[in-house]
Amino acid sequence: MSSPELQSLYQDIIIDAAKARHGYQPGLAGSAIGLTAGAASSSSTQTATVQTAAAHTELAAGGSATAAVATQSTVNADHCAASHQYNPTCGDELTVQVELDPAREGIVSVAWDGQGCSISQASVSLLTDLMVGKPVAEARTLIDEFRDVMRSRGKKELDIEVFEDAAALSGSSKFLARVKCAMLGWVALEDALLKLS
Amino acid sequence: MTDAAPGILSADEVDRIRNDFPILHREVNGSPLVYLDTGATSQSPNSVVEAEQEFYEQRNAAVHRGAHTLAAEATDYFEQARERVARFVGAADDEIVWTSNATEALNLVAYSVGNASLGRGGPEADRFRIGPGDEIVVTEMEHHANLIPWQELAARTGATLKFIPIGDDGTLRLDVATDLIGPATRILAFAHVSNVLGTINPIGDLIRLARNSGNPFGTLVVLDACQSAPHLSINLGELDVDFAAFSAHKMLGPTGVGVLYGRSELLNAMPPFLTGGSMITVVTMDHAEFLPAPQRFEAGTQRVSQAIAFAAAVDYLDHTGMNRIHAWESALTQRAMAGLAEIPGVRILGPAPGQPRGGLVAFDTDGVHAHDVGQFLDDRGIAVRVGHHCAQPAHRRFGVTASTRASFYLYNTEAEVDVFLQAMSEVRSYFGVTGAAREGVVAR
């Protein structure tokens, strides 16, 4: 009894990615500042600042399947940056951390921590899959294209040849209230890359 | 209502009521709209929409100025609206200040107290002055609108903000409140009914603590009545609160108008918040004298058509009967809670079934984010609120960042509750949280 629109939003690939959480690194940069963590007094702005600063020094302390490249000894603030993004309407939050190669031309690893709805979680998981190994310039183009499709109110689709599994997120663009959920991780990566440019 | 009217709405009566609300007959995503988001904003009957339209078609003019006929008629209707809303909540006419919404009403009090603390308002405003060593007490279940203005006031004045915690059962810890409210307490601000937990707070007990605080100036009691004025028969004069705030759009009225209730004696002693036209007597280049309340708090052009439509809304509620409305929504809420309790993985926030509760229920769905729950329900035309409902601390208290909330009103039916419960029973399997297969999913 679910509509085709709802099925296009919640494709299997989305539900699966939201559970698989590729790149998920709990405790990344000490990011347990969520609403559930009892940090009653800090505003999101303050939190974001702390998060970002901490991310530089605690980069990849945990390591994971997709982000096991950097270690404490190889941490280099010139090549690594993180961005904390917060969706005030629902309280979803996300820290995405990116590490570039020494020439700062290619993405070596992406790791993230945060919590949110299935769309935001699936989106950042698929983003991680897509971006690791990509040249920075191409990553920026992909983020721009992704934003363009997300803002199209369902008029444009992500090219599966380019976006691979992340193309399944096209369905989100028909749901105005969910575009921000889908964008959260991409905005975080964009911001982190900006810090390294 | 006549004495013969039963104590609760009948199903037939609700059907007739629904005919007064055109929006309830539209479809959403191919299904009839099931509107369970009155806690955020209510729908309006024809009489409210027509009142606003009639004003613009027949007597639109600025109020309290001008000598022409339309200006006089507009002023007359505007002030009649104030009388009708005042009567509805058991207040005197001059105790009702129009604001843009309840948030502005609460900020008005906080900023006026702040102005008094800076020495504005002369000796009669001394009773409002606060500073270091003084305490403002709120509760852990406040809507941000009744929390942040007090945080800011404390920051501006050096006063200390304290809060009454929520117990595990979703009610306030009165034992803590008893310890907390004392000679240092200058302001006690709390919600009558929690917009997340549905808890109906023990207003009599809290006011008694405030009245016996021992503070030489007396403790000001500020009531957030946003979730009570639309749903319960309340008499603010008898309740003995000092200030109260509520909003038209949660009680069948339009957006853009709310009310600050204040005891006349207090309003007339308090310095203004917004200043400008219409709130003064004599103005020189370096000084102004202010009108008595309520005008001293109504600077600038007023929301005239909205106030008039608001009066039509309270007339509609009054005619239907507040106690009967509350009985009906309580029955719907208990039906929803009983159904939700049967669904695995659903955890209701707030008081247990059978305990006193406003006409709303918020809940966590294990393994499915509230946004996804809301999306699934919307696909079937069911409108609920998802997120933190502007009450992050209350959510944090129960270990969640977001919840789903269904809220009920006089126009909701038992059949709608059942449609909602049927959808809720399918949510977790749709998102693959239980072992059951998701139906009808596009394969790629």
Side-chain angles (χ1 to χ4, degrees), chain A residues 1-3 6-7 9-13 15 19 35-36 38-40 86 88-92 115-119 160 165 167-168 175 178 181, chain B residues 29 31 369 371-373 375-376 378-380 385-389 392 395-396 399-402 426 430-433 438-444:
Chain A
M1 103 167 244
S2 305
S3 70
L6 194 75
Q7 290 160 23
L9 178 69
Y10 293 122
Q11 298 175 41
D12 277 342
I13 211 161
I15 300 291
K19 291 199 174 81
L35 296 169
T36 51
Y86 181 69
T89 60
C90 56
D92 289 1
Q115 51 79 36
C117 66
S118 62
I119 301 301
I160 194 166
D165 283 354
F175 296 86
R178 305 310 293 273
C181 310
Chain B
N29 296 324
S31 298
H369 191 278
H371 259 197
D372 296 320
V373 174
Q375 194 81 60
F376 182 82
D378 180 65
D379 191 55
R380 299 182 183 192
R385 176 77 190 265
V386 297
H388 51 58
H389 323 319
Q392 291 181 7
H395 279 84
R396 194 178 296 121
V400 292
T401 55
E426 298 172 33
Y430 182 84
F431 287 99
V433 178
R438 297 167 61 231
E439 46 91 16
V441 175
V442 177
R444 289 185 80 249

Side-chain angles (χ1 to χ4, degrees), chain B residues 104 217 271 302 327 412:
Chain B
E104 188 190 295
F217 296 96
Q302 290 299 295
N412 291 121

Side-chain angles (χ1 to χ4, degrees), chain B residues 321-333:
Chain B
M322 289 306 289
N323 289 329
R324 304 173 73 238
I325 291 170
H326 178 56
W328 177 252
E329 352 172 291
S330 293
L332 295 180
T333 306

Side-chain angles (χ1 to χ4, degrees), chain B residues 24-70:
Chain B
L24 298 179
H25 301 284
R26 71 163 278 185
E27 286 197 345
V28 169
N29 296 324
S31 298
L33 169 66
V34 174
Y35 189 75
L36 304 181
D37 197 19
T38 291
T41 201
S42 62
Q43 300 300 344
S44 292
N46 287 321
S47 60
V48 169
V49 179
E50 286 162 4
E52 195 157 359
Q53 184 171 0
E54 197 271 352
F55 175 78
Y56 277 114
E57 288 180 351
Q58 297 298 327
R59 56 198 99 253
N60 180 38
V63 298
H64 291 304
R65 68 198 78 180
H68 56 77
T69 299
L70 291 188

Side-chain angles (χ1 to χ4, degrees), chain B residues 133-137 160 180-187 213-216 219:
Chain B
D134 291 329
E135 293 176 0
I136 303 166
V137 176
T160 304
L180 217 53
I181 298 167
T185 310
R186 296 300 314 280
I187 295 169
S213 69
N215 186 280
T219 297

